[in-house]
Amino acid sequence: MSVRVLALVGSLRAGSHNRQLAEAAVKHAPAGTDVELFEGLADLPFYNEDLDVEGSVPAAAARLREVAGGADAFLLFSPEYNGTMPAVLKNAIDWLSRPFGAGALSGKSVAVVGTAFGQYGGVWAQDDARKAAGIAGATVLADAKLSVPGSVTRFAETHPADDAEVVASLTEVLRQIAEQAAPAAA
């Protein structure tokens, strides 16, 4: 049985290097691991407990929760916006953290990776995403990391899926996720 990994990308831009990194994860997922790139984070309303009422949860949030509920693990892709994670990624984590103690992230393996223009590849944002996912109940894989600096120049003419070093590192992160999540997938 394959480990099902749901990829959430914290950038909405069509040409986003983090989206391309997620596409590389889908393309190069190791045997026994299926990566699904979630589409629809742009449609999520900001989390508001007044909207999160059984029977009237917004359709976009219900869809995210349904897809996430079927995942064995998560791979979050975070650029760095003003030194932290993008609001769209934090919002997804907020929706997936509810109901408190039983949200779709609860007890599931999560790794956070990403790329950014700066010299550190977005590590602050990725650390913030790990913190938020952990507080939301996820089992955060602290050692499964990939921060690719200089995205604008590094990926100017090369898609991350064609960068051997990036692919090797991303494949290792996916291997770690699959190893951690395999018992839950069985």
Side-chain angles (χ1 to χ4, degrees):
M1 179 168 200
S2 284
V3 173
R4 295 162 302 178
V5 178
L6 185 62
L8 302 178
V9 179
S11 175
L12 301 178
R13 188 172 61 85
S16 160
H17 294 120
N18 279 280
R19 179 174 178 81
Q20 291 175 2
L21 194 60
E23 292 166 354
V26 171
K27 181 177 180 179
H28 294 289
T33 305
D34 293 318
V35 179
E36 177 185 352
L37 178 54
F38 184 80
E39 304 287 353
L41 291 186
D43 300 326
L44 279 177
F46 280 110
Y47 185 79
N48 177 338
E49 201 169 342
D50 291 341
L51 299 176
D52 194 4
V53 178
E54 191 172 333
S56 63
V57 172
R63 183 174 164 272
L64 173 64
R65 285 177 173 168
E66 179 182 341
V67 172
D72 299 311
F74 297 86
L75 183 54
L76 309 181
F77 293 83
S78 185
E80 191 167 272
Y81 290 3
N82 298 313
T84 192
M85 79 174 112
V88 68
L89 186 56
K90 175 65 168 72
N91 190 43
I93 292 169
D94 290 344
W95 277 105
L96 294 174
S97 73
R98 302 287 195 256
F100 183 73
L105 289 173
S106 189
K108 293 186 181 176
S109 299
V110 172
V112 181
V113 299
T115 185
F117 178 65
Q119 65 181 338
Y120 301 111
V123 294
W124 290 348
Q126 293 156 29
D127 286 344
D128 286 345
R130 284 182 196 92
K131 177 183 174 185
I135 291 170
T139 301
V140 177
L141 304 180
D143 294 332
K145 296 180 178 181
L146 172 61
S147 301
V148 184
S151 61
V152 173
T153 53
R154 183 163 189 161
F155 302 126
E157 295 180 20
T158 303
H159 191 285
D162 300 323
D163 182 314
E165 180 184 8
V166 168
V167 168
S169 296
L170 191 55
T171 302
E172 175 57 21
V173 168
L174 286 166
R175 186 199 61 74
Q176 291 176 45
I177 292 171
E179 182 178 289
Q180 180 73 27

